Amino acid sequence: SHGYFTYDPGFMATASCQSEITYIDGDLGILLYRGYPIDQLAKDANYLEVCYLLLYGEAPTAKQFEEFQRLIMRHTMVHEQLSSFFKGYRRDAHPMAIVCGVIAGLSAFYHDPMDITDQSHRETAAHRMIAKLPTIAAMAYKYSVGQPFVYPRNDLSYAGNFLQMMFAIPCEDYKVNPIVERAMDRIFTLHADHEQNASTSTVRLAGSSGANPFACIAAGIASLWGPAHGGANEACLTMLEEIGSVDRIPEFIARAKDKDDPFRLMGFGHRVYKNFDPRATVMRDTCHEVLDDLKIEDPLLDVAMELERIALSDPYFVERKLYPNVDFYSGIVLKAVGIPSSMFTVIFALSRTVGWMSHWNEMMSDSKQKIGRPRQLYTGAPEREFRTQVKK
Ligand code: SDX
């Protein structure tokens, strides 16, 4: 009791919601998208197939996939005027700051004629977001390196088109490397959805007020940016670079255990998984495949592998069930394919857009849904009389 309120545990019932989209069992390390295990999808499905599954609940037939892919690829261009948004940013602005701002700005381009109570309009919003995020993400990168924006190409795959918008330059042709294309597509799939994580809950809460989907996704991008969430992949690579060599690992392990040191091992631990993050397992295999196929010797991978080995045997981590999560390996793969670390979280946001839109649509389709309104346990001052101390 705080003398004013009597603490009522029921009052603080944790906010939770119902969904048919993704299932996680943190103790067993299980992750299912619409009932399908993530490792099977990462191996046998492509990202747009997974987008269709998350949005509509069933895997597409060949005909449905062809129509969906055509629909998405034909919306990859953005309004020509949108490119002016970028010019207001300094060249060294973090791409997440740019993408967050530009996505919120899409409300001014595509929202007005949209009636979000109409399912077909919500589907169009989802298609537009899935289609345009790669274009806007690549534009943010091109802007940061002072290169001209590259238009999307409908003849390439979703991942291939993203890579060419990132790396093509007017002076020479860009050839998509199939190994890189496949790794990129798999990274998109592994990050597509993850139940009620911080950014998805942000999108749901914003959407529950009736805000337009572009503003809700911008809110989700802002939440994802934090180093405890989607920013961890960039922070993990920065940590591996700071560690630099295997012999410095013990120093960082000691810091991670030190209660007075705010340092945490980036890429380790999870709010829900108290077992191996099943995505990390797929990501680790992909990491080795890409480095072997591209014949890249990356000393950071040696540091990562040694860090994983030590952490998995150290009682501090074992007792607290701190395992590598999806962010631990994704940074190394992205670095190997030439993506700068400042773009890692942008790629996470690009991948998660389908998850955010699926949850937003699921919530908006529920006619009984009400505005989200988390309650609190008040621990402030009891009621008292105000007497000003300011001379009038
Ligand atoms: C993502 O929610 C999602 O689904 C998110 C995500 C998604 O797909 O949307 O999976 C993506 O965000 C993955 C997580 C990425 N973040 C990081 O890798 C950042 C580093 N990890 C941590 O900051 C941390 O593990 C969290 C934020 C992920 C979870 O933090 P919690 O909830 O405090 O972890 P916990 O309750 O399991 O901690 C138990 C103990 C605590 O110590 P004690 O108080 O018991 O002594 O473990 C410690 C924590 O201090 N701990 C760590 C640690 N993570 C937790 N100690 C050192 N290094 C770490 N990484």
Side-chain angles (χ1 to χ4, degrees):
S1 159
H2 290 268
Y4 195 75
F5 284 111
T6 306
Y7 173 60
D8 162 11
F11 181 80
M12 292 300 287
T14 47
S16 66
C17 75
Q18 224 171 300
S19 173
E20 298 174 355
I21 300 172
T22 292
Y23 173 75
I24 298 175
D25 182 318
D27 295 329
L28 299 179
I30 294 173
L31 169 57
L32 309 176
Y33 287 170
R34 298 285 191 181
Y36 294 105
I38 188 65
D39 55 328
Q40 291 177 25
L41 292 171
K43 198 163 64 60
D44 297 334
N46 68 46
Y47 176 68
L48 281 188
E49 218 174 331
V50 168
C51 287
Y52 188 99
L53 172 69
L54 287 170
L55 279 173
Y56 297 108
E58 294 299 334
T61 61
K63 194 167 176 324
Q64 287 168 331
F65 177 72
E66 196 188 319
E67 171 53 22
F68 182 70
Q69 184 176 44
R70 195 190 62 78
L71 197 62
I72 295 296
M73 296 314 285
R74 288 187 58 77
H75 277 99
T76 47
M77 273 178 70
V78 293
H79 192 292
E80 198 62 14
Q81 227 175 309
L82 198 76
S83 52
S84 322
F85 273 65
F86 292 79
K87 297 197 173 59
Y89 289 95
R90 287 178 17 179
R91 289 281 178 184
D92 61 354
H94 195 289
M96 275 299 274
I98 299 176
V99 170
C100 196
V102 172
I103 293 299
L106 286 184
S107 313
F109 285 83
Y110 301 114
H111 171 58
D112 300 342
M114 192 171 281
D115 168 9
I116 56 175
T117 61
D118 180 330
Q119 172 62 23
S120 66
H121 286 211
R122 291 200 295 273
E123 275 186 50
T124 304
H127 298 158
R128 284 219 163 102
M129 294 307 283
I130 294 165
K132 298 182 191 306
L133 249 292
T135 309
I136 292 167
M139 289 169 82
Y141 170 65
K142 284 303 200 188
Y143 184 75
S144 72
V145 294
Q147 289 181 1
F149 297 144
V150 174
Y151 284 103
R153 280 182 42 189
N154 298 352
D155 61 319
L156 295 175
S157 71
Y158 188 85
N161 178 43
F162 173 64
L163 289 165
Q164 75 91 17
M165 291 190 291
M166 281 283 292
F167 298 122
I169 48 176
C171 342
E172 60 194 37
D173 273 349
Y174 176 78
K175 207 163 160 14
V176 178
N177 177 326
I179 297 163
V180 177
E181 182 180 21
R182 181 75 199 123
M184 201 76 249
D185 190 86
R186 194 176 288 177
I187 286 173
F188 290 166
T189 292
L190 291 174
H191 290 82
D193 192 51
H194 211 242
E195 201 221 61
Q196 305 306 325
N197 55 85
S199 53
T200 301
S201 303
T202 302
V203 170
R204 277 183 172 256
L205 199 53
S208 72
S209 73
N212 76 74
F214 307 101
C216 296
I217 296 299
I221 293 173
S223 168
L224 184 77
W225 195 2
H229 189 12
N233 49 20
E234 179 179 0
C236 180
L237 201 83
T238 306
M239 174 190 73
L240 290 174
E241 285 165 343
E242 196 188 342
I243 294 174
S245 64
V246 167
D247 53 7
R248 289 197 63 205
I249 290 176
E251 173 195 330
F252 285 82
I253 293 275
R255 284 189 55 196
K257 295 182 195 173
D258 177 355
K259 282 284 148 249
D260 299 327
D261 187 332
F263 172 77
R264 283 191 161 182
L265 281 189
M266 289 291 111
F268 278 80
H270 199 276
R271 286 304 280 129
V272 175
Y273 288 124
K274 300 310 168 194
N275 196 321
F276 235 88
D277 178 340
R279 302 168 298 175
T281 311
V282 179
M283 203 73 249
R284 180 176 57 187
D285 298 346
T286 304
C287 196
H288 283 292
E289 274 168 40
V290 169
L291 293 182
D292 293 351
D293 292 347
L294 297 180
K295 302 201 180 9
I296 293 175
E297 293 286 313
D298 188 342
L300 289 188
L301 184 68
D302 302 338
V303 175
M305 295 306 290
E306 183 59 7
L307 184 60
E308 180 196 36
R309 188 191 66 75
I310 296 176
L312 291 184
S313 54
D314 183 304
Y316 173 91
F317 296 93
V318 174
E319 282 152 21
R320 291 168 175 80
K321 300 182 179 172
L322 299 175
Y323 296 94
N325 56 48
V326 66
D327 296 298
F328 186 63
Y329 292 97
S330 57
I332 297 169
V333 177
L334 291 170
K335 179 175 179 288
V337 302
I339 307 265
S341 60
S342 61
M343 284 293 293
F344 289 2
T345 311
V346 171
I347 287 170
F348 194 149
L350 184 173
S351 314
R352 184 59 55 89
T353 294
V354 64
W356 290 331
M357 289 307 293
S358 302
H359 281 273
W360 173 78
N361 186 48
E362 181 180 62
M363 177 188 69
M364 296 304 289
S365 309
D366 173 3
S367 54
K368 296 188 297 307
Q369 77 93 15
K370 295 189 179 322
I371 185 166
R373 180 59 175 87
R375 295 308 310 274
Q376 66 166 21
L377 175 67
Y378 178 70
T379 56
E383 187 173 345
R384 51 186 167 166
E385 198 183 329
F386 178 72
R387 282 197 202 83
T388 180
Q389 300 165 64
V390 174
K391 276 201 185 46
K392 297 294 184 255

